[in-house]
Amino acid sequence: MRGPRSIPLLAWLGLLVASMSFAPAQAAATSGAVPAGEEVTAMVAGADHTCALFGGRTMRCWGENRHGELGDGTTVPSPRPVEVKGQVAAPITTLSRGGHTCSLLGDGTVRCWGRNGYGQLGDGTRADSTRPVPVRGLAGEVRLLAVGDDRTCVAYESGATWCWGRNEGGGPTGPAEVRGLPSPPAQLVAGAAHTCGVLGDGSTWCWGRNGGGGPTSGAPVEVRGLPSAPVRLTAGDSHTCALVKDGSTWCWGEGRHGQLGTGSAKSSPAPRRVVGLQRGPTQLAAGGDHTCAVFGDSTLWCWGRNDFGQLGNGTTADASRPVQVRNVRLDPALLVGGGRHTCLAYRDSSIDCWGLNTAGQLGDGTVKPLNRTPGSVVGLAAAPAHHGVHQHEPAAAATSDPDDGIFAGRAAEIGLLILAATVFAAFLATRRRPN
């Protein structure tokens, strides 16, 4: 039997172990989860961060934050969603590509936050911002918004198109009008160093660095070879893909990782049809060097670079043809591709992410290097278990290590046992102490 002096020490150790074991559960309970019923109305992914808009009002981001990418007023990265501070109105559109994010608001103004080394935030400085700041000097109400790695572009209600930040055409940095478009764009997308637009007449035009091996062009050039007008256009770092009216999918640009989906790793300056797709997708999204498509039967297929599992098929092997993402559930709503990760939001307000996670951009509460299959973003009201309609992988593939939960539970039990034993020992010591 230990002496009375050792009893307080044992009691303290028991309480410490128990409190450490219960801390994660308490943190999860008080993390400010999104209220139930708050639909994901928009979602974007940058190089190493992800953001989602809930209920059309509240923006939350997670992942890298060294440049203020999360917009929460800090530069502290977070593997769990944190709320963007300073949004003055509900955004119509929010977009991201590299280290900055911008929102188009209902009044036609734009606010941006994050990295600003080339003036891509448009606030007249080159200082990073940890909160949304208004873009200055806009020439009217903005109708379309596109965000590239180090630049931002807008199309005004007047029809003019302007970009600011790093000039992918080789010209000086700063606001500049895009000249040479025969009509105003109806769609506008940006990659790492190129921009593309679908015009009102259905034609597609691009400018900037040519990922297909051609020369860089500061003036727009028409994309030729598409069978019909694109209904959906998306840009990766150095490639572009289009879903056209007849339901087929076409890609062009850099192809060394198979991101064009043509069955080879060759680049192409002209559009080439993605092989192996039996029908038209309902959604199309390009990441850094990969592309994904959602179909009406709730299946999801991806192709291209896969070094961090961003294709979601359980491997890290590149794929030049579409491969099916595992563990996708029913009713996918929104799809986005980040630098080396992919995220999918569902109609029940839950979100799954997979791929690179060194900065917490998957939102699973960890910074484990990668996840090869979809795993739930934590801190949301809906975070169901993965009983997917297309289950191809055992539950061991989940993002969180099951041993972590087992260890936490056992540690809690040990802490409580120590505490109980200590209290009992104190009771015996008191009984045996001479009067």
mmCIF file of all heavy atoms in Angstrom, residues 234-237 239-242 249-252 254 257-261 274 277 283-294 300-306 310-311 319 321-323 325 335-338 341-342 354:
data_model
loop_
_atom_site.group_PDB
_atom_site.id
_atom_site.type_symbol
_atom_site.label_atom_id
_atom_site.label_comp_id
_atom_site.label_asym_id
_atom_site.label_seq_id
_atom_site.Cartn_x
_atom_site.Cartn_y
_atom_site.Cartn_z
ATOM 1 N N THR A 234 -14.067 23.940 -67.846
ATOM 2 C CA THR A 234 -13.297 23.883 -66.606
ATOM 3 C C THR A 234 -11.815 23.870 -66.949
ATOM 4 O O THR A 234 -11.415 23.311 -67.987
ATOM 5 C CB THR A 234 -13.684 22.644 -65.768
ATOM 6 O OG1 THR A 234 -12.961 22.663 -64.528
ATOM 7 C CG2 THR A 234 -13.376 21.355 -66.496
ATOM 8 N N ALA A 235 -10.990 24.479 -66.107
ATOM 9 C CA ALA A 235 -9.561 24.593 -66.373
ATOM 10 C C ALA A 235 -8.749 24.021 -65.228
ATOM 11 O O ALA A 235 -9.031 24.299 -64.060
ATOM 12 C CB ALA A 235 -9.178 26.060 -66.601
ATOM 13 N N GLY A 236 -7.749 23.196 -65.565
ATOM 14 C CA GLY A 236 -6.761 22.751 -64.607
ATOM 15 C C GLY A 236 -5.571 23.670 -64.644
ATOM 16 O O GLY A 236 -5.633 24.780 -65.200
ATOM 17 N N ASP A 237 -4.461 23.231 -64.077
ATOM 18 C CA ASP A 237 -3.278 24.087 -64.098
ATOM 19 C C ASP A 237 -2.867 24.435 -65.525
ATOM 20 O O ASP A 237 -2.660 25.599 -65.851
ATOM 21 C CB ASP A 237 -2.115 23.398 -63.379
ATOM 22 C CG ASP A 237 -2.190 23.561 -61.874
ATOM 23 O OD1 ASP A 237 -3.126 24.242 -61.395
ATOM 24 O OD2 ASP A 237 -1.328 22.997 -61.167
ATOM 25 N N HIS A 239 -4.310 22.551 -68.425
ATOM 26 C CA HIS A 239 -5.194 21.914 -69.399
ATOM 27 C C HIS A 239 -6.612 22.440 -69.204
ATOM 28 O O HIS A 239 -6.934 23.030 -68.167
ATOM 29 C CB HIS A 239 -5.155 20.382 -69.283
ATOM 30 C CG HIS A 239 -5.874 19.823 -68.092
ATOM 31 N ND1 HIS A 239 -5.423 19.971 -66.785
ATOM 32 C CD2 HIS A 239 -7.039 19.118 -67.992
ATOM 33 C CE1 HIS A 239 -6.248 19.366 -65.946
ATOM 34 N NE2 HIS A 239 -7.247 18.851 -66.656
ATOM 35 N N THR A 240 -7.429 22.252 -70.208
ATOM 36 C CA THR A 240 -8.809 22.728 -70.183
ATOM 37 C C THR A 240 -9.709 21.613 -70.706
ATOM 38 O O THR A 240 -9.317 20.865 -71.602
ATOM 39 C CB THR A 240 -8.975 23.974 -71.071
ATOM 40 O OG1 THR A 240 -7.949 24.929 -70.744
ATOM 41 C CG2 THR A 240 -10.328 24.626 -70.866
ATOM 42 N N CYS A 241 -10.897 21.481 -70.142
ATOM 43 C CA CYS A 241 -11.850 20.474 -70.583
ATOM 44 C C CYS A 241 -13.218 21.120 -70.784
ATOM 45 O O CYS A 241 -13.577 22.075 -70.097
ATOM 46 C CB CYS A 241 -11.966 19.329 -69.581
ATOM 47 S SG CYS A 241 -10.452 18.339 -69.393
ATOM 48 N N ALA A 242 -13.978 20.551 -71.721
ATOM 49 C CA ALA A 242 -15.300 21.073 -72.033
ATOM 50 C C ALA A 242 -16.296 19.933 -72.171
ATOM 51 O O ALA A 242 -16.012 18.927 -72.818
ATOM 52 C CB ALA A 242 -15.257 21.887 -73.320
ATOM 53 N N THR A 249 -17.213 14.771 -73.868
ATOM 54 C CA THR A 249 -16.254 15.555 -73.092
ATOM 55 C C THR A 249 -14.942 15.631 -73.859
ATOM 56 O O THR A 249 -14.430 14.608 -74.334
ATOM 57 C CB THR A 249 -16.021 14.911 -71.713
ATOM 58 O OG1 THR A 249 -17.268 14.805 -71.022
ATOM 59 C CG2 THR A 249 -15.071 15.747 -70.875
ATOM 60 N N TRP A 250 -14.389 16.831 -73.954
ATOM 61 C CA TRP A 250 -13.173 17.072 -74.732
ATOM 62 C C TRP A 250 -12.175 17.844 -73.876
ATOM 63 O O TRP A 250 -12.547 18.715 -73.085
ATOM 64 C CB TRP A 250 -13.499 17.883 -75.988
ATOM 65 C CG TRP A 250 -14.444 17.174 -76.918
ATOM 66 C CD1 TRP A 250 -15.770 16.931 -76.720
ATOM 67 C CD2 TRP A 250 -14.112 16.620 -78.196
ATOM 68 N NE1 TRP A 250 -16.303 16.257 -77.789
ATOM 69 C CE2 TRP A 250 -15.308 16.052 -78.713
ATOM 70 C CE3 TRP A 250 -12.951 16.553 -78.959
ATOM 71 C CZ2 TRP A 250 -15.358 15.415 -79.951
ATOM 72 C CZ3 TRP A 250 -12.999 15.932 -80.192
ATOM 73 C CH2 TRP A 250 -14.184 15.361 -80.682
ATOM 74 N N CYS A 251 -10.877 17.524 -74.032
ATOM 75 C CA CYS A 251 -9.820 18.208 -73.270
ATOM 76 C C CYS A 251 -8.663 18.561 -74.185
ATOM 77 O O CYS A 251 -8.426 17.895 -75.203
ATOM 78 C CB CYS A 251 -9.309 17.328 -72.122
ATOM 79 S SG CYS A 251 -10.541 16.902 -70.865
ATOM 80 N N TRP A 252 -7.911 19.579 -73.803
ATOM 81 C CA TRP A 252 -6.715 19.968 -74.548
ATOM 82 C C TRP A 252 -5.718 20.614 -73.605
ATOM 83 O O TRP A 252 -6.040 21.013 -72.489
ATOM 84 C CB TRP A 252 -7.075 20.904 -75.697
ATOM 85 C CG TRP A 252 -7.687 22.219 -75.310
ATOM 86 C CD1 TRP A 252 -7.061 23.419 -75.121
ATOM 87 C CD2 TRP A 252 -9.090 22.477 -75.079
ATOM 88 N NE1 TRP A 252 -7.955 24.395 -74.779
ATOM 89 C CE2 TRP A 252 -9.200 23.867 -74.758
ATOM 90 C CE3 TRP A 252 -10.239 21.693 -75.108
ATOM 91 C CZ2 TRP A 252 -10.432 24.459 -74.459
ATOM 92 C CZ3 TRP A 252 -11.459 22.291 -74.816
ATOM 93 C CH2 TRP A 252 -11.557 23.659 -74.492
ATOM 94 N N GLU A 254 -1.785 20.465 -71.637
ATOM 95 C CA GLU A 254 -0.783 19.555 -71.084
ATOM 96 C C GLU A 254 -1.420 18.199 -70.780
ATOM 97 O O GLU A 254 -2.509 18.132 -70.207
ATOM 98 C CB GLU A 254 -0.197 20.159 -69.810
ATOM 99 C CG GLU A 254 0.791 19.284 -69.078
ATOM 100 C CD GLU A 254 2.027 18.999 -69.905
ATOM 101 O OE1 GLU A 254 2.708 19.966 -70.314
ATOM 102 O OE2 GLU A 254 2.303 17.801 -70.147
ATOM 103 N N HIS A 257 0.385 13.660 -67.578
ATOM 104 C CA HIS A 257 -0.114 12.798 -66.502
ATOM 105 C C HIS A 257 -1.413 12.087 -66.886
ATOM 106 O O HIS A 257 -2.037 11.448 -66.048
ATOM 107 C CB HIS A 257 -0.343 13.620 -65.233
ATOM 108 C CG HIS A 257 0.903 14.205 -64.657
ATOM 109 N ND1 HIS A 257 1.862 13.443 -64.011
ATOM 110 C CD2 HIS A 257 1.362 15.488 -64.651
ATOM 111 C CE1 HIS A 257 2.851 14.229 -63.613
ATOM 112 N NE2 HIS A 257 2.581 15.469 -63.985
ATOM 113 N N GLY A 258 -1.809 12.228 -68.138
ATOM 114 C CA GLY A 258 -3.055 11.613 -68.582
ATOM 115 C C GLY A 258 -4.281 12.452 -68.322
ATOM 116 O O GLY A 258 -5.411 11.971 -68.450
ATOM 117 N N GLN A 259 -4.097 13.748 -67.983
ATOM 118 C CA GLN A 259 -5.236 14.585 -67.578
ATOM 119 C C GLN A 259 -6.190 14.926 -68.724
ATOM 120 O O GLN A 259 -7.271 15.456 -68.487
ATOM 121 C CB GLN A 259 -4.756 15.863 -66.896
ATOM 122 C CG GLN A 259 -3.856 16.766 -67.722
ATOM 123 C CD GLN A 259 -2.383 16.550 -67.432
ATOM 124 O OE1 GLN A 259 -1.901 15.426 -67.451
ATOM 125 N NE2 GLN A 259 -1.672 17.637 -67.168
ATOM 126 N N LEU A 260 -5.810 14.595 -69.974
ATOM 127 C CA LEU A 260 -6.714 14.821 -71.093
ATOM 128 C C LEU A 260 -7.690 13.661 -71.276
ATOM 129 O O LEU A 260 -8.678 13.786 -72.008
ATOM 130 C CB LEU A 260 -5.937 15.058 -72.390
ATOM 131 C CG LEU A 260 -4.919 16.215 -72.377
ATOM 132 C CD1 LEU A 260 -4.372 16.429 -73.778
ATOM 133 C CD2 LEU A 260 -5.538 17.495 -71.827
ATOM 134 N N GLY A 261 -7.380 12.522 -70.645
ATOM 135 C CA GLY A 261 -8.294 11.381 -70.698
ATOM 136 C C GLY A 261 -8.389 10.710 -72.047
ATOM 137 O O GLY A 261 -9.402 10.059 -72.349
ATOM 138 N N VAL A 274 -12.429 12.661 -74.606
ATOM 139 C CA VAL A 274 -12.123 11.765 -73.493
ATOM 140 C C VAL A 274 -12.706 10.391 -73.821
ATOM 141 O O VAL A 274 -13.880 10.278 -74.202
ATOM 142 C CB VAL A 274 -12.723 12.297 -72.181
ATOM 143 C CG1 VAL A 274 -12.489 11.316 -71.038
ATOM 144 C CG2 VAL A 274 -12.122 13.661 -71.848
ATOM 145 N N LEU A 277 -16.040 7.152 -71.711
ATOM 146 C CA LEU A 277 -17.255 7.674 -71.079
ATOM 147 C C LEU A 277 -18.442 7.301 -71.965
ATOM 148 O O LEU A 277 -18.516 7.722 -73.118
ATOM 149 C CB LEU A 277 -17.176 9.189 -70.909
ATOM 150 C CG LEU A 277 -16.041 9.718 -70.025
ATOM 151 C CD1 LEU A 277 -16.120 11.239 -69.928
ATOM 152 C CD2 LEU A 277 -16.084 9.097 -68.635
ATOM 153 N N GLN A 283 -21.685 16.872 -64.219
ATOM 154 C CA GLN A 283 -20.730 17.867 -63.721
ATOM 155 C C GLN A 283 -19.335 17.509 -64.210
ATOM 156 O O GLN A 283 -19.017 16.332 -64.406
ATOM 157 C CB GLN A 283 -20.720 17.916 -62.195
ATOM 158 C CG GLN A 283 -21.975 18.453 -61.572
ATOM 159 C CD GLN A 283 -21.817 18.645 -60.079
ATOM 160 O OE1 GLN A 283 -20.926 19.348 -59.601
ATOM 161 N NE2 GLN A 283 -22.687 18.001 -59.311
ATOM 162 N N LEU A 284 -18.508 18.536 -64.362
ATOM 163 C CA LEU A 284 -17.135 18.357 -64.813
ATOM 164 C C LEU A 284 -16.258 19.346 -64.054
ATOM 165 O O LEU A 284 -16.588 20.527 -63.964
ATOM 166 C CB LEU A 284 -17.047 18.617 -66.315
ATOM 167 C CG LEU A 284 -15.744 18.300 -67.037
ATOM 168 C CD1 LEU A 284 -15.495 16.795 -67.038
ATOM 169 C CD2 LEU A 284 -15.796 18.829 -68.467
ATOM 170 N N ALA A 285 -15.153 18.861 -63.467
ATOM 171 C CA ALA A 285 -14.269 19.739 -62.696
ATOM 172 C C ALA A 285 -12.830 19.303 -62.876
ATOM 173 O O ALA A 285 -12.518 18.110 -62.784
ATOM 174 C CB ALA A 285 -14.635 19.718 -61.221
ATOM 175 N N ALA A 286 -11.945 20.256 -63.132
ATOM 176 C CA ALA A 286 -10.520 19.985 -63.278
ATOM 177 C C ALA A 286 -9.772 20.446 -62.044
ATOM 178 O O ALA A 286 -10.059 21.518 -61.495
ATOM 179 C CB ALA A 286 -9.974 20.682 -64.522
ATOM 180 N N GLY A 287 -8.812 19.632 -61.597
ATOM 181 C CA GLY A 287 -7.896 20.029 -60.540
ATOM 182 C C GLY A 287 -6.579 20.447 -61.154
ATOM 183 O O GLY A 287 -6.527 20.865 -62.312
ATOM 184 N N GLY A 288 -5.493 20.335 -60.392
ATOM 185 C CA GLY A 288 -4.201 20.757 -60.911
ATOM 186 C C GLY A 288 -3.830 20.035 -62.196
ATOM 187 O O GLY A 288 -3.703 20.649 -63.257
ATOM 188 N N ASP A 289 -3.685 18.715 -62.119
ATOM 189 C CA ASP A 289 -3.354 17.897 -63.287
ATOM 190 C C ASP A 289 -4.295 16.704 -63.390
ATOM 191 O O ASP A 289 -3.899 15.629 -63.852
ATOM 192 C CB ASP A 289 -1.902 17.399 -63.199
ATOM 193 C CG ASP A 289 -0.889 18.539 -63.249
ATOM 194 O OD1 ASP A 289 -1.020 19.397 -64.134
ATOM 195 O OD2 ASP A 289 0.005 18.585 -62.377
ATOM 196 N N HIS A 290 -5.521 16.856 -62.936
ATOM 197 C CA HIS A 290 -6.502 15.779 -63.036
ATOM 198 C C HIS A 290 -7.879 16.361 -63.321
ATOM 199 O O HIS A 290 -8.105 17.562 -63.151
ATOM 200 C CB HIS A 290 -6.524 14.924 -61.767
ATOM 201 C CG HIS A 290 -7.068 15.608 -60.552
ATOM 202 N ND1 HIS A 290 -6.394 16.624 -59.883
ATOM 203 C CD2 HIS A 290 -8.229 15.428 -59.863
ATOM 204 C CE1 HIS A 290 -7.100 17.027 -58.849
ATOM 205 N NE2 HIS A 290 -8.229 16.320 -58.812
ATOM 206 N N THR A 291 -8.775 15.510 -63.782
ATOM 207 C CA THR A 291 -10.123 15.923 -64.146
ATOM 208 C C THR A 291 -11.106 14.885 -63.629
ATOM 209 O O THR A 291 -10.801 13.693 -63.617
ATOM 210 C CB THR A 291 -10.270 16.052 -65.676
ATOM 211 O OG1 THR A 291 -9.141 16.750 -66.213
ATOM 212 C CG2 THR A 291 -11.544 16.802 -66.033
ATOM 213 N N CYS A 292 -12.292 15.315 -63.199
ATOM 214 C CA CYS A 292 -13.307 14.398 -62.682
ATOM 215 C C CYS A 292 -14.669 14.756 -63.253
ATOM 216 O O CYS A 292 -14.933 15.912 -63.594
ATOM 217 C CB CYS A 292 -13.369 14.445 -61.157
ATOM 218 S SG CYS A 292 -11.859 13.884 -60.328
ATOM 219 N N ALA A 293 -15.536 13.748 -63.347
ATOM 220 C CA ALA A 293 -16.880 13.943 -63.873
ATOM 221 C C ALA A 293 -17.885 13.151 -63.052
ATOM 222 O O ALA A 293 -17.644 11.996 -62.700
ATOM 223 C CB ALA A 293 -16.939 13.509 -65.337
ATOM 224 N N VAL A 294 -19.019 13.789 -62.733
ATOM 225 C CA VAL A 294 -20.120 13.146 -62.022
ATOM 226 C C VAL A 294 -21.189 12.762 -63.040
ATOM 227 O O VAL A 294 -21.478 13.521 -63.975
ATOM 228 C CB VAL A 294 -20.730 14.093 -60.968
ATOM 229 C CG1 VAL A 294 -21.947 13.458 -60.306
ATOM 230 C CG2 VAL A 294 -19.701 14.451 -59.916
ATOM 231 N N LEU A 300 -18.814 8.584 -59.979
ATOM 232 C CA LEU A 300 -17.828 9.636 -60.203
ATOM 233 C C LEU A 300 -16.582 8.997 -60.814
ATOM 234 O O LEU A 300 -16.081 7.987 -60.304
ATOM 235 C CB LEU A 300 -17.484 10.323 -58.873
ATOM 236 C CG LEU A 300 -16.370 11.367 -58.864
ATOM 237 C CD1 LEU A 300 -16.696 12.511 -59.801
ATOM 238 C CD2 LEU A 300 -16.172 11.908 -57.452
ATOM 239 N N TRP A 301 -16.097 9.571 -61.899
ATOM 240 C CA TRP A 301 -14.940 9.046 -62.613
ATOM 241 C C TRP A 301 -13.904 10.151 -62.753
ATOM 242 O O TRP A 301 -14.234 11.310 -63.016
ATOM 243 C CB TRP A 301 -15.358 8.533 -63.992
ATOM 244 C CG TRP A 301 -16.318 7.379 -63.935
ATOM 245 C CD1 TRP A 301 -17.648 7.426 -63.589
ATOM 246 C CD2 TRP A 301 -16.031 6.009 -64.198
ATOM 247 N NE1 TRP A 301 -18.192 6.173 -63.629
ATOM 248 C CE2 TRP A 301 -17.229 5.275 -64.006
ATOM 249 C CE3 TRP A 301 -14.878 5.319 -64.594
ATOM 250 C CZ2 TRP A 301 -17.312 3.908 -64.191
ATOM 251 C CZ3 TRP A 301 -14.948 3.949 -64.787
ATOM 252 C CH2 TRP A 301 -16.153 3.255 -64.582
ATOM 253 N N CYS A 302 -12.628 9.795 -62.584
ATOM 254 C CA CYS A 302 -11.537 10.770 -62.670
ATOM 255 C C CYS A 302 -10.409 10.224 -63.529
ATOM 256 O O CYS A 302 -10.254 9.014 -63.691
ATOM 257 C CB CYS A 302 -10.992 11.102 -61.276
ATOM 258 S SG CYS A 302 -12.171 11.884 -60.145
ATOM 259 N N TRP A 303 -9.572 11.121 -64.028
ATOM 260 C CA TRP A 303 -8.408 10.715 -64.804
ATOM 261 C C TRP A 303 -7.313 11.765 -64.652
ATOM 262 O O TRP A 303 -7.561 12.901 -64.298
ATOM 263 C CB TRP A 303 -8.779 10.514 -66.276
ATOM 264 C CG TRP A 303 -9.402 11.700 -66.960
ATOM 265 C CD1 TRP A 303 -8.777 12.664 -67.696
ATOM 266 C CD2 TRP A 303 -10.808 12.050 -66.983
ATOM 267 N NE1 TRP A 303 -9.688 13.583 -68.167
ATOM 268 C CE2 TRP A 303 -10.923 13.225 -67.769
ATOM 269 C CE3 TRP A 303 -11.957 11.476 -66.436
ATOM 270 C CZ2 TRP A 303 -12.156 13.844 -67.993
ATOM 271 C CZ3 TRP A 303 -13.183 12.094 -66.665
ATOM 272 C CH2 TRP A 303 -13.280 13.260 -67.426
ATOM 273 N N GLY A 304 -6.059 11.323 -64.890
ATOM 274 C CA GLY A 304 -4.925 12.237 -64.804
ATOM 275 C C GLY A 304 -3.963 11.888 -63.691
ATOM 276 O O GLY A 304 -3.777 10.715 -63.346
ATOM 277 N N ARG A 305 -3.361 12.905 -63.105
ATOM 278 C CA ARG A 305 -2.342 12.718 -62.081
ATOM 279 C C ARG A 305 -2.953 12.153 -60.802
ATOM 280 O O ARG A 305 -4.035 12.559 -60.398
ATOM 281 C CB ARG A 305 -1.665 14.058 -61.789
ATOM 282 C CG ARG A 305 -0.428 13.954 -60.904
ATOM 283 C CD ARG A 305 0.321 15.259 -60.890
ATOM 284 N NE ARG A 305 1.573 15.155 -60.164
ATOM 285 C CZ ARG A 305 2.516 16.099 -60.164
ATOM 286 N NH1 ARG A 305 2.337 17.216 -60.863
ATOM 287 N NH2 ARG A 305 3.628 15.933 -59.485
ATOM 288 N N ASN A 306 -2.206 11.242 -60.171
ATOM 289 C CA ASN A 306 -2.759 10.536 -59.015
ATOM 290 C C ASN A 306 -1.700 10.242 -57.966
ATOM 291 O O ASN A 306 -1.833 9.305 -57.188
ATOM 292 C CB ASN A 306 -3.407 9.222 -59.487
ATOM 293 C CG ASN A 306 -4.317 8.608 -58.448
ATOM 294 O OD1 ASN A 306 -4.963 9.314 -57.672
ATOM 295 N ND2 ASN A 306 -4.381 7.289 -58.406
ATOM 296 N N GLN A 310 -5.517 11.612 -55.668
ATOM 297 C CA GLN A 310 -6.571 12.563 -56.001
ATOM 298 C C GLN A 310 -7.623 12.004 -56.963
ATOM 299 O O GLN A 310 -8.691 12.601 -57.124
ATOM 300 C CB GLN A 310 -5.983 13.864 -56.559
ATOM 301 C CG GLN A 310 -5.033 13.717 -57.743
ATOM 302 C CD GLN A 310 -3.570 13.678 -57.330
ATOM 303 O OE1 GLN A 310 -3.177 12.896 -56.474
ATOM 304 N NE2 GLN A 310 -2.752 14.513 -57.956
ATOM 305 N N LEU A 311 -7.360 10.832 -57.569
ATOM 306 C CA LEU A 311 -8.367 10.204 -58.419
ATOM 307 C C LEU A 311 -9.356 9.378 -57.607
ATOM 308 O O LEU A 311 -10.404 8.972 -58.130
ATOM 309 C CB LEU A 311 -7.710 9.320 -59.487
ATOM 310 C CG LEU A 311 -6.735 10.013 -60.458
ATOM 311 C CD1 LEU A 311 -6.359 9.055 -61.573
ATOM 312 C CD2 LEU A 311 -7.319 11.300 -61.026
ATOM 313 N N ALA A 319 -3.697 7.866 -64.347
ATOM 314 C CA ALA A 319 -4.625 7.175 -65.238
ATOM 315 C C ALA A 319 -4.932 8.064 -66.439
ATOM 316 O O ALA A 319 -5.396 9.190 -66.272
ATOM 317 C CB ALA A 319 -5.918 6.816 -64.513
ATOM 318 N N ARG A 321 -7.063 7.168 -68.717
ATOM 319 C CA ARG A 321 -8.465 6.907 -68.999
ATOM 320 C C ARG A 321 -9.253 7.070 -67.702
ATOM 321 O O ARG A 321 -8.712 6.864 -66.625
ATOM 322 C CB ARG A 321 -8.668 5.488 -69.545
ATOM 323 C CG ARG A 321 -8.066 5.253 -70.923
ATOM 324 C CD ARG A 321 -8.112 3.772 -71.272
ATOM 325 N NE ARG A 321 -7.654 3.522 -72.622
ATOM 326 C CZ ARG A 321 -8.446 3.366 -73.665
ATOM 327 N NH1 ARG A 321 -9.775 3.409 -73.500
ATOM 328 N NH2 ARG A 321 -7.960 3.155 -74.868
ATOM 329 N N PRO A 322 -10.524 7.384 -67.784
ATOM 330 C CA PRO A 322 -11.315 7.547 -66.552
ATOM 331 C C PRO A 322 -11.334 6.285 -65.704
ATOM 332 O O PRO A 322 -11.503 5.173 -66.221
ATOM 333 C CB PRO A 322 -12.712 7.878 -67.090
ATOM 334 C CG PRO A 322 -12.464 8.501 -68.430
ATOM 335 C CD PRO A 322 -11.284 7.769 -68.991
ATOM 336 N N VAL A 323 -11.146 6.467 -64.388
ATOM 337 C CA VAL A 323 -11.256 5.380 -63.414
ATOM 338 C C VAL A 323 -12.309 5.780 -62.390
ATOM 339 O O VAL A 323 -12.495 6.959 -62.098
ATOM 340 C CB VAL A 323 -9.908 5.096 -62.710
ATOM 341 C CG1 VAL A 323 -8.886 4.567 -63.704
ATOM 342 C CG2 VAL A 323 -9.369 6.344 -62.012
ATOM 343 N N VAL A 325 -14.154 6.452 -58.967
ATOM 344 C CA VAL A 325 -13.862 6.823 -57.580
ATOM 345 C C VAL A 325 -14.624 5.883 -56.660
ATOM 346 O O VAL A 325 -15.810 5.597 -56.877
ATOM 347 C CB VAL A 325 -14.278 8.280 -57.302
ATOM 348 C CG1 VAL A 325 -14.007 8.662 -55.849
ATOM 349 C CG2 VAL A 325 -13.541 9.226 -58.246
ATOM 350 N N LEU A 335 -18.977 19.319 -57.198
ATOM 351 C CA LEU A 335 -17.662 18.704 -57.386
ATOM 352 C C LEU A 335 -16.623 19.785 -57.644
ATOM 353 O O LEU A 335 -16.856 20.703 -58.438
ATOM 354 C CB LEU A 335 -17.719 17.740 -58.578
ATOM 355 C CG LEU A 335 -16.409 17.132 -59.066
ATOM 356 C CD1 LEU A 335 -15.871 16.133 -58.049
ATOM 357 C CD2 LEU A 335 -16.624 16.438 -60.414
ATOM 358 N N VAL A 336 -15.462 19.705 -56.965
ATOM 359 C CA VAL A 336 -14.367 20.645 -57.218
ATOM 360 C C VAL A 336 -13.040 19.890 -57.198
ATOM 361 O O VAL A 336 -12.889 18.880 -56.513
ATOM 362 C CB VAL A 336 -14.316 21.790 -56.186
ATOM 363 C CG1 VAL A 336 -15.536 22.677 -56.308
ATOM 364 C CG2 VAL A 336 -14.159 21.256 -54.774
ATOM 365 N N GLY A 337 -12.077 20.399 -57.959
ATOM 366 C CA GLY A 337 -10.728 19.855 -57.965
ATOM 367 C C GLY A 337 -9.748 20.888 -57.462
ATOM 368 O O GLY A 337 -9.752 22.048 -57.912
ATOM 369 N N GLY A 338 -8.907 20.503 -56.498
ATOM 370 C CA GLY A 338 -7.858 21.378 -55.984
ATOM 371 C C GLY A 338 -6.536 21.061 -56.639
ATOM 372 O O GLY A 338 -6.461 20.324 -57.629
ATOM 373 N N HIS A 341 -5.951 17.605 -54.730
ATOM 374 C CA HIS A 341 -7.035 16.957 -54.003
ATOM 375 C C HIS A 341 -8.363 17.224 -54.697
ATOM 376 O O HIS A 341 -8.451 18.080 -55.584
ATOM 377 C CB HIS A 341 -7.083 17.413 -52.540
ATOM 378 C CG HIS A 341 -7.523 18.829 -52.326
ATOM 379 N ND1 HIS A 341 -6.758 19.922 -52.682
ATOM 380 C CD2 HIS A 341 -8.659 19.344 -51.777
ATOM 381 C CE1 HIS A 341 -7.382 21.039 -52.358
ATOM 382 N NE2 HIS A 341 -8.557 20.715 -51.813
ATOM 383 N N THR A 342 -9.382 16.467 -54.300
ATOM 384 C CA THR A 342 -10.706 16.562 -54.905
ATOM 385 C C THR A 342 -11.745 16.524 -53.792
ATOM 386 O O THR A 342 -11.562 15.837 -52.792
ATOM 387 C CB THR A 342 -10.954 15.385 -55.871
ATOM 388 O OG1 THR A 342 -9.829 15.236 -56.746
ATOM 389 C CG2 THR A 342 -12.203 15.608 -56.706
ATOM 390 N N TRP A 354 -10.573 13.844 -50.873
ATOM 391 C CA TRP A 354 -9.523 12.829 -50.952
ATOM 392 C C TRP A 354 -8.329 13.404 -51.726
ATOM 393 O O TRP A 354 -8.448 14.391 -52.431
ATOM 394 C CB TRP A 354 -10.048 11.555 -51.627
ATOM 395 C CG TRP A 354 -10.615 11.725 -52.999
ATOM 396 C CD1 TRP A 354 -9.977 11.537 -54.198
ATOM 397 C CD2 TRP A 354 -11.959 12.128 -53.334
ATOM 398 N NE1 TRP A 354 -10.827 11.786 -55.250
ATOM 399 C CE2 TRP A 354 -12.047 12.139 -54.750
ATOM 400 C CE3 TRP A 354 -13.080 12.457 -52.577
ATOM 401 C CZ2 TRP A 354 -13.212 12.490 -55.424
ATOM 402 C CZ3 TRP A 354 -14.246 12.807 -53.253
ATOM 403 C CH2 TRP A 354 -14.317 12.815 -54.648
#
